[in-house]
Amino acid sequence: SAVISQKPSRDICQRGTSLTIQCQVDSQVTMMFWYRQQPGQSLTLIATANQGSEATYESGFVIDKFPISRPNLTFSTLTVSNMSPEDSSIYLCSGREETQYFGPGTRLLVL
Amino acid sequence: DAKTTQPPSMDCAEGRAANLPCNHSTISGNEYVYWYRQIHSQGPQYIIHGLKNNETNEMASLIITEDRKSSTLILPHATLRDTAVYYCIVRVAGGTSYGKLTFGQGTILTVHP
């Protein structure tokens, strides 16, 4: 099974600023994803991170707000831009080869 | 991907089997049934998946009905550490083919002493 780590594990940020979350997988995976989990809610897919091309965003999520990079088969970043308190959530990275695995999440609080 | 329906919550006594049902009546022939769980403050954990045959691993068993319209996840001897939200998800065939894992609300399983 793949082991996925995320940095930072948590952060408190001021509104209007941006935060970049890093995701590292211990093995090469074909597909990587980013999810958001708002307080008390289930997971919502933000986008699929594609290596060497632009990410594929789900309805309601846009590149200007959540730019994503994926420079290789083991690493991806998600930036939450121009944050507002509504962005306070857990952000989870996920990687899939045969089976899909998840990182521990990044807990973001925006004041 | 087909939608799933799960009870919002269930209780189970420690040491007993926990049987978690899932309905997926619109499942397509190339969709697998996946089960994940999320223990409080952690990322989702993969449990098991299957297409049409029953499956068993070290964590659980998955029973899929013959018509594939429903399934049951069985934790044979539940422990307090199995208290979590359990998600049943159907997704297009496994491997690297594109298919999103779409999470519903899941079932909150509480294992009590």
Side-chain angles (χ1 to χ4, degrees):
Chain A
S1 64
V3 176
I4 300 177
S5 58
Q6 291 183 229
K7 290 182 183 179
S9 59
R10 61 180 65 236
D11 208 340
I12 301 173
C13 300
Q14 297 297 317
R15 68 174 66 205
T17 62
S18 298
L19 176 71
T20 296
I21 302 168
Q22 298 180 3
C23 175
Q24 180 74 54
V25 188
D26 70 343
S27 59
Q28 293 185 344
V29 290
T30 303
M31 306 191 76
M32 292 183 74
F33 306 89
W34 287 96
Y35 287 79
R36 180 175 74 181
Q37 187 169 29
Q38 295 179 301
Q41 302 297 312
S42 186
L43 284 77
T44 301
L45 180 63
I46 297 172
T48 302
N50 303 309
Q51 190 209 359
S53 64
E54 228 171 64
T56 304
Y57 290 84
E58 298 299 307
S59 176
F61 298 96
V62 295
I63 187 171
D64 290 346
K65 177 67 175 177
F66 298 101
I68 289 171
S69 77
R70 187 167 176 205
N72 57 51
L73 292 176
T74 64
F75 186 79
S76 178
T77 67
L78 168 76
T79 299
V80 186
S81 302
N82 188 25
M83 288 183 287
S84 67
E86 291 71 35
D87 295 318
S88 298
S89 290
I90 300 173
Y91 293 85
L92 296 118
C93 173
S94 179
R96 182 170 86 210
E97 194 60 28
E98 286 291 322
T99 302
Q100 189 161 338
Y101 296 98
F102 288 81
T106 295
R107 285 151 186 77
L108 172 62
L109 177 63
V110 184
L111 301 177
Chain B
D1 295 327
K3 291 189 180 295
T4 63
T5 304
Q6 299 178 252
S9 64
M10 294 183 65
D11 287 336
C12 179
E14 190 176 20
R16 296 293 187 104
N19 298 289
L20 291 91
C22 179
N23 286 323
H24 30 79
S25 59
T26 61
I27 192 169
S28 301
N30 64 346
E31 287 183 314
Y32 282 69
V33 179
Y34 286 80
W35 283 84
Y36 283 77
R37 72 180 182 184
Q38 187 174 26
I39 296 170
H40 184 62
S41 297
Q42 298 182 22
Q45 178 188 23
Y46 165 79
I47 301 173
I48 198 167
H49 74 283
L51 183 62
K52 54 183 177 181
N53 297 322
N54 297 338
E55 302 288 344
T56 296
N57 63 20
E58 65 279 3
M59 289 183 67
S61 294
L62 174 60
I63 308 298
I64 303 174
T65 58
E66 193 169 342
D67 63 7
R68 302 209 323 123
K69 293 185 177 182
S70 66
S71 61
T72 301
L73 178 75
I74 301 173
L75 307 179
H77 305 288
T79 70
L80 298 179
R81 288 177 293 180
D82 292 321
T83 293
V85 181
Y86 286 77
Y87 297 100
C88 169
I89 305 167
V90 295
R91 183 176 75 82
V92 172
T96 57
S97 60
Y98 184 69
K100 309 170 198 175
L101 276 184
T102 302
F103 286 78
Q105 294 305 307
T107 296
I108 300 171
L109 175 68
T110 303
V111 181
H112 52 85

